Amino acid sequence: MKNIKYINFRFILLFSLGSIVVTSCERELSDDVEFATFPPDGDVFIDAFSSGLDYFPFVDAGADPEAFSVDTEEVYAGDASMRFDVPAFGNGFVGATFNTTANRDLSGFDALTFYAKASKAASINAIGYGISGETNNKFQVTANNLAVSTRWEKYVIPIPDASKLISETGLFWLAEGASFEGDEGGYVLWFDEIKFEKLGTVAQPKPAIFAGEDLTVQAFTGSTLNVVGLTQTFNLADGTNQAISVAPSYFNFQSSDTGVATVNELGQITVLGTGSVDVTAILAGVRADGSLEITSNGALPAAPTPMRAQANVNSIFSDAYQNSTESNFLPGFGGSTTETAIINTSDGVVLSYANNNFTGIIFNNTVDASGLTFMHIDVYVQEAGTEVGLQIRDVGANQTIDTDVNTGLPIGDDKDLRVDLTGLTVGQWTSFDIPLDGDLTTQRNNLGALILVGGPNFILDNIYFYTE
Amino acid sequence: MNMKYNHLKPISMVFFKYALMLSIIALLSCETDDQQTVARFTELTLSEEFDTNGQPNASIWGYDIGTGENGWGNQELQYYTDRPENVNVQNGVLLITAREESFEGSSYTSARLVTKDKFEQRYGRFEARIRLPYGQGIWPAFWMLGADIDENPWPGAGEIDIMEYRGQNPTLLIGSVHGPGYSGGEAISKEYSLVNDRFDTGFHIFGIEWGPEYVNFYVDDVLYNQITPEDVTGTWVFNKPFYILMNLAVGGTFVGSPNEETEFPQTMLVDYVRVYKELKIN
């Protein structure tokens, strides 16, 4: 068997030498083995759907599948353009991906380019390429809030690292709609000459993770965290800097101590041990701005398991109960220094707060706690003397948080209850059962937010309203 | 040796192209251009390769220091120094670096190298191989001034801008001449735009071929302009020795100020400066 292989190899060698001699007067052969590749076809929509291309509206997400058409009247060049009729507020949105059944090799290009115009000045919520069900959008790229005018203009969405795009199906996608009353809607968007190009002028890459910030977080063995805020910014031929949101798989992530934490290609950090570790990243050979310093103090003990019946509970954040409402844990209050992370541990998710001055948990829907008498919350701290100010806010019938910007006190139809979570023991969970009294005695049918003040570092779990 | 070969190759290409172009012109217009001679600037008179680390060769390069008058006449924002932070030779390349720092009342520092009283020449081929910086408000230049400027103030002394560039237009090169009656905004100027490439991502050769009654401007292997006495709206002053300047300005009327997106430091990398003459002309 071995012998036969050897002969085969020699034959191949001889044959390839022969072909070098035959072809070398034309061009040099590469030393590298040539792999079979997909066609390097960059065309997406010039005057018609390019090879294998099809239209996939995001119907499940509420997109209007009728919003797209091919227009032969309003074109930049040739005889057809893509037309999207963006519905008015409340009537769905434009959302679709254009994928090809014939995979493309895009590694020779440096940008997706197109001409666009709109019937009125607008900004497209999200537009890009790389949507693929097969790869779970592994190489998705998105330009956010791309401003378009009423003139045909050329737009460039750069490729973060083209060497990764050797077998692509998701060539173009967009999502645009009126996201609130008064937002632009009821207008028409046109695109023409959509294609991948080698511009040669996409330069000066400036990748970032965590939006370029150097963050710190406390974590525990078994925690999983995500690298977020992944962007790449290129300087274009016209001198502008074009930022794009980039899928994690374009980056190479690094952990300074893989005994403490590891990062996979999806940007998922797993904390494995005790110690301190820096998570950084490189994109196409360029060090990304931003990092995460994780301090792990070993395993986080589980918070006490809630024992109350689901029927008596309206839960905000707990693995033990169905949520009564989803919530926004990153309200982005102006002046807030808080770094919030939802951390997976071996015993479920917890909320981790670092450098908190003030932040909040904003309920997506208000909670009617008229029939409930207490709020439960578990708090874990690692530094002696930590105290957390908690404000339970009823936002009133108008469903909006009304606050005196000078005093921070509720105004209008708002009421709140303020308690200090004190007497916390380092390295242990402390449970609080707070009676819904004070100003909430008579008004707690529109509970809308929890405000968290001070700390500055603490972990929360099992936040719910209940009756006994 | 290999390096040298690589450097010389584009020069001959440029020359060949130019010669070819002239011969085509000659073919097309035999009647008027029968007397046209092709200048061959092949005699090397300055070869600054920046092969020694540290400060550039002091027998060739001097410095303008400070802010000049009114930011060197252009409201430029930088303070020029000769510190290694702003001018330094490393690994065969001259680095001229603009930094954002508080220095002697200015918010930026940078450097401006001059060959005044050290190397001056009338006519010849002047070229440099440079990788340019980028960003709003960044203004590098490779240029020349009439060596009699102390007695014959600008614009009378004449100025030849072999390369000017705005960091916010990374594909665009500007070549100009200034003289009496055609200076500043009235300079005789032409822009050249790179196609599918830009000036801040690789080295490019910027040069002129200057003889009696003409200045030819080229970049890499492209001759993109010729300026003759017929093109200027004043006296032709390019018939006497000039000296060389290389600098990296920040801000000023030509480019506008840097903005929050401008990255600092920004560095202009100069691989070489070479000057040739032609025995019959020089």
Side-chain angles (χ1 to χ4, degrees), chain A residues 145 177 348:
Chain A
N145 301 317

Side-chain angles (χ1 to χ4, degrees), chain B residues 21 68 77 97 140 159 183 186:
Chain B
M21 196 153 172
L77 302 177
T97 302
E159 171 181 331
S183 66
E186 269 70 58

Side-chain angles (χ1 to χ4, degrees), chain A residues 55-72:
Chain A
Y55 167 57
F56 299 94
F58 303 146
V59 178
D60 291 348
D64 177 3
E66 305 294 320
F68 167 69
S69 57
V70 173
D71 194 333
T72 54

Side-chain angles (χ1 to χ4, degrees), chain B residues 161-219:
Chain B
D161 299 326
I162 304 170
M163 178 280 294
E164 282 191 289
Y165 155 102
R166 296 179 179 94
Q168 59 265 38
N169 301 132
T171 64
L172 205 66
L173 161 74
I174 304 135
S176 314
V177 298
H178 303 247
Y182 49 101
S183 66
E186 269 70 58
I188 309 304
S189 200
K190 187 169 178 182
E191 295 181 340
Y192 177 78
S193 196
L194 277 184
V195 177
N196 295 332
D197 197 4
R198 39 194 284 162
F199 289 110
D200 60 337
T201 52
F203 283 90
H204 293 272
I205 296 166
F206 303 95
I208 57 163
E209 286 172 319
W210 166 32
E213 315 272 285
Y214 71 91
V215 182
N216 291 335
F217 290 79
Y218 60 89
V219 57

